[in-house]
Amino acid sequence: MSGSWLTALPSIAVALAAVLLPGILIRLAGWNVRDVLPWLLVPAMSVTVLAVASNVAHFVRLPWSPLPVALVAVLIAAVAFVVRRMLRAGEVVSVRPAHAVGMTVALAVSALAIGVQLVVAFGRPDAISQTLDNIVHLNAIKLATDTADASAVQIGATSDIPFYPNGWHSIVALVQLLTGAPIPVAVTAGNIVIGAVVWPFSAAALAWAVFRRPLAVVFAALLATGFGAFPLLLLDFGVLYPNFAGYALIGAALAGVWPLVQASGWRERVRPFLLLLLISVGVGISHPNALLGVFALAVPAVVLLLVPFARAERTRGRFLALALVAGGLLVIGYAVWTFARTNYDMSRWGPWQTASQAVGEALTLAPRQFPMTLVLALLLAVGAVVIARRPARLPAAGPFLAALVLFVLCSGAVVANPIREFLANPWYNDPYRLAALLPIAAIPLVTLGALAVSDGLRAGLGRLPGASAWAPVAAVAVVTALAASVAVGQNVRATIVQTQGQYALRADANVLSEDELDVLTRLDETTPPDAVIVGSPLTGASLAYAIGDRTVTERHVFGTRTPDEQYLTENLRDIDSDPEVCEAVRAVGATYVLDFGDRTVNGNDGSAYTGLEDLEPSARLVLVDSEGPDAKLFRIEGCS
């Protein structure tokens, strides 16, 4: 495995093409080339195409490759073209060329800044997240590439469940299949592109939908670089790759809400509705609770957007219509939240703090006691002041109000709180997942704050003698510099440092030590291609599949075992004295065993795998390879 970032460039390029090309095709087919919002939604449309195509390919028996991606993209583009022609809806003329250049530069700077943040956080392109869930994610990518099937069904097969959200896996598996890069490198490339491209484009799209100003796009793209809670937190904790991919799309989905609600007449609402539906499909396939996040953040905005409609004529009919919409959304929400429950054992995450502390963290955009970035906190406050003075801007605060309530309940209320249990259960009652919603929901507010500061500074400078020519440029330059500064703010820097610890290769690493990784990377030299390896997934030994390209008996910590597999994990060390061990070896087809000692991921109970610990060489357990005191590979002999 290589630590040079140059080796990752082809994988990053392929991932970038994957999240741009399908969406560009759909965008050009469905909208006037001058229309701004669809350009900003290109990555979101592409991710949806990839997620849908991977599942369609499974059911029509096409191998996962660019072919099903192209077919789905062409089909959606054709629908977009036909709808455009049939409705002949009015096109939104875009901005002046200079403004278009400014927005493009801001997005490029944002992508570069977040890309550098992630490179620093990961350390090496082949570094893996030393977290429990990463075991299943890496092995799921390996299974997907081995079978050329990245569908939700196949990804679920890694951990013996019928369905697993696969938007993230579709991207990474395609990158690996097209480049042949090691799976950790493909994972890194996919994560960099999702974090540095999909996320800031989504944030910029939301800002454009809310404010329809080029400066809003510039400020939102730059401000998106300054949050530790997203995307970094989900790449640190968990690791929550499916949530990470789904959350990166939430802003894009919310961007579809504003034109849908604000349109007049059904003809003008058809395309926004179809666009919102398209992106929501991608969000849902990436992770269902990300789709719930879209609903939760959108409902307050929708109601607040409709209030002026009801107040415009103050008729009973208009207020009734508003009440029906609000009531309908609440009923739908109650039904969805009732259905989308997570099981008891997986949703016992407790609060971090008191409710008042949670409010403070939310209002400073610095959850988990990370230091705040002052610029972001001040811009959020300025945005709130603007709304207080201009209530017409209140819909911009709708998503943040919803995210604040969810975060405060989950991180600041006791486990027994029934409101907490009802509202936060679809997120496993996990404060981390709800903390990551705060930056996404805050984008309209902090962007509004930046716009207000820019407008105010421009007005103030304009009063100076002879300032009419340079005041606008100076005001924009100052606020743009402030917005760009958040990329190196305290909040994101502290999160990078914490994330580095999760990707570091150390002797006491949570999943794989350097010695253990060395043994896995030598498996192509020490074992034949048809080797079947027994090992405790709790020690990281099951990553012999993803990293060593060898079959393992267990691909995930929570996978199911046959009685023979269970007998081996409990008794293999007694192979010389217990004849039943050889019977189990023959039944399983095991040919090798990895002994990575008794240190387990997250300190989980490893008593079910004591038969694989502290193995000694013998006539039936032949030591083939070792590194350091605890990483050993044995060949099983004499059981044929």
Side-chain angles (χ1 to χ4, degrees), residues 488-501:
V488 292
Q490 285 186 297
N491 185 252
V492 76
R493 292 205 315 267
T495 315
I496 287 173
V497 171
Q498 177 167 297
T499 305
Q500 287 174 325

Side-chain angles (χ1 to χ4, degrees), residues 295 299 303 323-337 422:
F295 186 88
V299 166
V303 174
L324 288 174
V325 170
L329 289 173
L330 287 176
V331 169
I332 293 171
Y334 180 82
V336 172
W337 257 250
F422 180 74

Side-chain angles (χ1 to χ4, degrees), residues 421-640:
E421 173 61 25
F422 180 74
L423 290 179
N425 177 276
W427 286 272
Y428 304 94
N429 290 313
D430 177 7
Y432 282 95
R433 297 176 203 255
L434 291 168
L437 285 179
L438 289 172
I440 302 165
I443 283 293
L445 267 180
V446 294
T447 302
L448 178 59
L451 290 171
V453 172
S454 177
D455 293 343
L457 188 59
R458 176 179 179 176
L461 292 175
R463 296 190 185 98
L464 299 175
S468 58
W470 56 265
V473 176
V476 170
V478 169
V479 180
T480 299
L482 282 174
S485 72
V486 303
V488 292
Q490 285 186 297
N491 185 252
V492 76
R493 292 205 315 267
T495 315
I496 287 173
V497 171
Q498 177 167 297
T499 305
Q500 287 174 325
Q502 293 285 39
Y503 289 81
L505 192 61
R506 302 186 303 259
D508 61 344
N510 194 34
V511 175
L512 284 180
S513 68
E514 190 169 8
D515 290 342
E516 292 163 348
L517 181 61
D518 286 342
V519 170
L520 294 186
T521 55
R522 292 197 294 262
L523 286 174
D524 61 340
E525 303 170 4
T526 56
T527 62
D530 62 349
V532 177
I533 299 176
V534 181
S536 167
L538 287 170
T539 65
S542 60
L543 286 174
Y545 183 48
I547 294 175
D549 193 24
R550 293 298 181 264
T551 300
V552 295
T553 55
E554 293 185 64
R555 294 188 291 253
H556 183 36
V557 171
F558 301 119
T560 57
R561 288 177 290 164
T562 66
D564 289 310
E565 290 169 347
Q566 183 172 343
Y567 196 82
L568 287 183
T569 63
E570 295 173 352
N571 301 283
L572 184 61
R573 64 188 305 168
D574 301 323
I575 190 170
D576 290 324
S577 59
D578 183 354
E580 291 186 32
V581 172
C582 266
E583 293 179 14
V585 166
R586 287 191 293 270
V588 173
T591 54
Y592 289 82
V593 57
L594 281 168
D595 176 6
F596 282 174
D598 59 2
R599 181 177 49 81
T600 61
V601 59
N602 292 353
N604 277 284
D605 179 15
S607 58
Y609 296 92
T610 53
L612 306 180
E613 297 172 6
D614 300 321
L615 301 180
E616 295 293 335
S618 68
R620 289 185 171 176
L621 289 177
V622 178
L623 183 64
V624 175
D625 191 17
S626 66
E627 192 73 37
D630 296 319
K632 300 173 184 178
L633 171 70
F634 295 88
R635 183 173 62 249
I636 302 173
E637 293 190 352
C639 287
S640 57

Side-chain angles (χ1 to χ4, degrees), residues 202-246:
S202 291
L206 177 56
W208 174 266
V210 176
F211 302 109
R212 296 298 177 98
R213 292 181 60 180
L215 268 184
V217 171
V218 172
F219 294 153
L222 296 175
L223 292 169
T225 67
F227 300 102
F230 189 79
L232 281 164
L233 189 63
L234 296 188
L235 297 173
D236 165 40
F237 173 76
V239 64
L240 303 179
Y241 288 146
N243 271 112
F244 163 64

Side-chain angles (χ1 to χ4, degrees), residues 10-12 14-15 18 170-181 185-186 189-190:
S11 297
I12 294 173
V14 169
S170 299
I171 298 171
V172 175
L174 188 63
V175 169
Q176 202 283 330
L177 284 167
L178 292 178
T179 64
V185 174

Side-chain angles (χ1 to χ4, degrees), residues 340-379:
R341 312 307 289 167
T342 55
N343 67 62
Y344 181 86
D345 292 334
M346 297 294 288
S347 59
R348 293 304 92 200
W349 295 93
W352 290 339
Q353 58 207 334
T354 66
S356 59
Q357 289 171 324
V359 171
E361 288 191 349
L363 294 180
T364 55
L365 299 172
R368 202 50 177 147
Q369 299 180 347
F370 284 120
M372 71 174 176
T373 294
L374 186 60
V375 170
L376 286 172
L378 289 177
L379 290 179

